[in-house]
Amino acid sequence: MVPHLVTALNGPLLDLEKKILEATPAIERWFRMEWQEHTPPFYCSVDLRNAGFKLAPVDTNLFPGGFNNLANEMLPLAVQAAMAAIEKYCPDAKNLLLIPESHTRNTFYLQNVARMMQIFRQTGLNVRLGSLSADIKEPTPIDLPDGTQLILEPLERSANGRRLGLKNFDPCTILLNNDLSAGIPAILEDINEQTLLPPLHAGWALRRKSNHFSAYDEVVKKFAKMVDIDPWMLNPFFTKVKNVDFNERTGEEALAAAVDTILAKIRKKYKEYGIKEKPFVIVKADAGTYGMGIMTVHNSDEVRDLNRKQRNKMSVVKDGMEVRDVIVQEGVYTFEQIQESVAEPVVYMIDRYVVGGFYRFHEERGVDENLNTPGMHFVPLAFAQQHAVPDMRAKPGTAAPNRFYMYGVVARLALLAASLEMEKTDPNPEIY
């Protein structure tokens, strides 16, 4: 299913599509060279927004939780990519310990865990689940809606304290699917004999979106120069504002000034390209996920005039993490629709390979709003079969494979940015 692109403003994007398709051999070679210099994150998902005049990533998740939303046809691709990823870290891997989020009641999330276990078992690994939750003191079965069952087990450190595993299970590799919003648990620290993926500094206890988008700036400048396009076509403006306390109303003026600055930059670009839409920004917490701590702002007065409910909503994100630093990011419209609902593509990658994706759509959200909220739905993206290969003869804007190829290119730029971000923020560069 290819959603309808509801915009007359597809001129620049069609031009962009044409340039990217013409440069395909150069683009693929460029990525190959970059991956010789940098290690891709183990896995990653990227939220994209397609405004018709620009296509940009707005969020990059290093602990993706929606593998159950990928089309079944994509499974062989995911298994192949997982094999390549595991071989890098532990060529003779036999046992994989998967540590999921602690919210055991979210059946959608648990179906994602089941799908991940399926993928890694097909690579030839024994996969078991270890829980960070203090409530799990013995192997605990959890029933899923499809009749299958997951078993969560308590984590154990080895007698010498250097390894992490389960009772009678010593893994070579530990895969985190827990974003560590609540902080880094002591049981995960100082593990030196096993590979922990992603590394601890990828979790929200330490990671910051501003570092990611700074790295993305760097990546896009190089890429845009090679393809001969305006980097803005693929990149939202952003700035960071520190020491904001929404409840105490401190840092409010600095935030309002940042909103004005980014809006002025967007207006200038809109004027340059003859875009008639109204500029907006997204204010969001510099750390954290699950679509929390996010608001759409059209002018700086809206930041000053927040009511108590809005302030409370902005001041805390997942696991009670307090918001102190925020980023003000250029808002990117999404003019894609599914069944007349606003939609955005989310692309999934394992290692450096695109393994599929889906459309997130929401019946009650507008083209300038965050769609990652309760009430969202998912439709698998048809990345499979012929869709991975662009159709060079098709007219710009008419071929689904071409649009999906573009999504894959932009998602991989965000993946490369995440790789740079992890290198730059690594607390122990010599062992990374």
Side-chain angles (χ1 to χ4, degrees):
M1 177 187 281
V2 183
H4 185 42
L5 195 61
V6 201
T7 172
L9 280 165
N10 50 17
L13 197 67
L14 297 189
D15 189 38
L16 178 68
E17 181 181 300
K18 189 166 176 280
K19 280 188 167 166
I20 282 182
L21 290 173
E22 282 169 356
T24 297
I27 288 169
E28 294 307 324
R29 179 177 181 275
W30 182 80
F31 274 121
R32 279 197 301 276
M33 305 302 281
E34 290 292 331
W35 292 129
Q36 284 176 20
E37 302 292 321
H38 308 286
T39 305
F42 184 81
Y43 54 9
C44 175
S45 69
V46 178
D47 295 3
L48 299 173
R49 304 274 286 200
N50 186 348
F53 51 84
K54 81 183 284 175
L55 172 65
V58 291
D59 202 21
T60 301
N61 187 354
L62 297 179
F63 300 87
F67 280 96
N68 53 313
N69 296 318
L70 303 185
N72 287 332
E73 307 91 81
M74 303 308 289
L75 264 181
L77 208 55
V79 170
Q80 232 172 346
M83 277 180 178
I86 291 282
E87 276 169 15
K88 266 186 197 168
Y89 297 99
C90 192
D92 59 348
K94 188 172 72 168
N95 295 336
L96 176 76
L97 173 60
L98 178 56
I99 300 179
E101 292 282 357
S102 299
H103 45 63
T104 49
R105 291 204 180 87
N106 182 335
T107 51
F108 292 113
Y109 174 72
L110 292 170
Q111 284 166 313
N112 153 71
V113 173
R115 171 60 65 89
M116 285 170 66
M117 291 181 80
Q118 183 189 2
I119 290 168
F120 291 111
R121 280 182 177 147
Q122 286 183 5
T123 68
L125 291 167
N126 301 312
V127 189
R128 280 165 66 176
L129 292 177
S131 175
L132 287 170
S133 171
D135 301 337
I136 305 288
K137 295 184 171 63
E138 58 187 340
T140 306
I142 295 173
D143 295 322
L144 297 182
D146 63 0
T148 58
Q149 199 178 60
L150 294 178
I151 295 176
L152 281 172
E153 302 181 61
L155 294 168
E156 288 182 2
R157 284 298 276 256
S158 61
N160 66 9
R162 291 203 296 261
R163 296 179 74 84
L164 179 67
L166 308 171
K167 192 174 182 181
N168 304 323
F169 187 74
D170 183 26
C172 150
T173 308
I174 299 160
L175 181 60
L176 285 176
N177 197 242
N178 182 312
D179 64 23
L180 308 179
S181 290
I184 296 172
I187 200 162
L188 293 182
E189 290 185 325
D190 304 315
I191 295 171
N192 303 321
E193 295 181 1
Q194 292 154 299
T195 306
L196 188 64
L197 299 166
L200 290 178
H201 67 286
W204 287 122
L206 298 171
R207 187 179 178 221
R208 296 295 174 262
K209 291 173 191 172
S210 49
N211 290 331
H212 176 74
F213 285 106
S214 296
Y216 186 74
D217 273 350
E218 216 177 294
V219 167
V220 167
K221 276 181 188 136
K222 280 171 75 174
F223 178 83
K225 196 174 175 186
M226 176 189 69
V227 187
D228 185 31
I229 54 169
D230 179 350
W232 176 76
M233 295 275 180
L234 303 173
N235 194 6
F237 292 127
F238 86 98
T239 188
K240 176 174 177 169
V241 186
K242 290 180 165 183
N243 304 320
V244 177
D245 187 326
F246 285 96
N247 285 326
E248 298 295 323
R249 303 190 68 159
T250 52
E252 200 173 79
E253 284 310 313
L255 179 56
V259 168
D260 283 334
T261 303
I262 298 293
L263 284 172
K265 287 173 101 170
I266 305 169
R267 273 188 211 102
K268 198 175 165 191
K269 279 290 179 189
Y270 278 17
K271 193 176 173 190
E272 183 184 333
Y273 287 102
I275 294 160
K276 302 286 188 279
E277 306 299 332
K278 187 182 179 186
F280 70 100
V281 298
I282 299 289
V283 176
K284 55 184 167 186
D286 198 16
T289 179
Y290 280 82
M292 298 171 81
I294 294 182
M295 64 179 175
T296 301
V297 176
H298 293 91
N299 70 65
S300 55
D301 289 340
E302 292 173 32
V303 171
R304 297 184 185 96
D305 299 340
L306 293 180
N307 61 34
R308 170 58 60 194
K309 188 181 171 190
Q310 290 167 315
R311 289 179 192 287
N312 288 342
K313 203 174 154 199
M314 285 302 294
S315 61
V316 177
V317 290
K318 183 176 167 242
D319 290 336
M321 199 174 171
E322 282 190 15
V323 175
R324 281 293 171 267
D325 299 344
V326 297
I327 65 169
V328 178
Q329 187 179 52
E330 173 185 347
V332 182
Y333 283 97
T334 179
F335 288 125
E336 299 202 67
Q337 285 194 352
I338 285 182
Q339 299 156 13
E340 294 177 15
S341 298
V342 175
E344 65 187 10
V346 183
V347 177
Y348 271 58
M349 288 157 289
I350 296 178
D351 198 65
R352 59 197 177 103
Y353 307 101
V354 172
V355 297
F358 50 83
Y359 276 101
R360 177 189 285 128
F361 69 100
H362 206 303
E363 288 154 7
E364 290 158 27
R365 287 284 181 271
V367 291
D368 60 351
E369 290 184 288
N370 167 36
L371 305 186
N372 187 5
T373 56
M376 59 186 162
H377 301 280
F378 306 100
V379 175
L381 266 174
F383 263 117
Q385 295 105 26
Q386 79 280 17
H387 287 310
V389 182
D391 177 0
M392 302 298 185
R393 294 187 309 278
K395 270 185 171 164
T398 60
N402 294 356
R403 180 152 357 140
F404 293 145
Y405 177 70
M406 274 179 69
Y407 291 164
V409 168
V410 179
R412 284 182 291 161
L413 291 175
L415 180 75
L416 181 54
S419 171
L420 292 180
E421 170 202 359
M422 289 296 99
E423 286 168 25
K424 288 178 177 176
T425 57
D426 186 10
N428 304 304
E430 68 283 355
I431 61 165
Y432 186 48

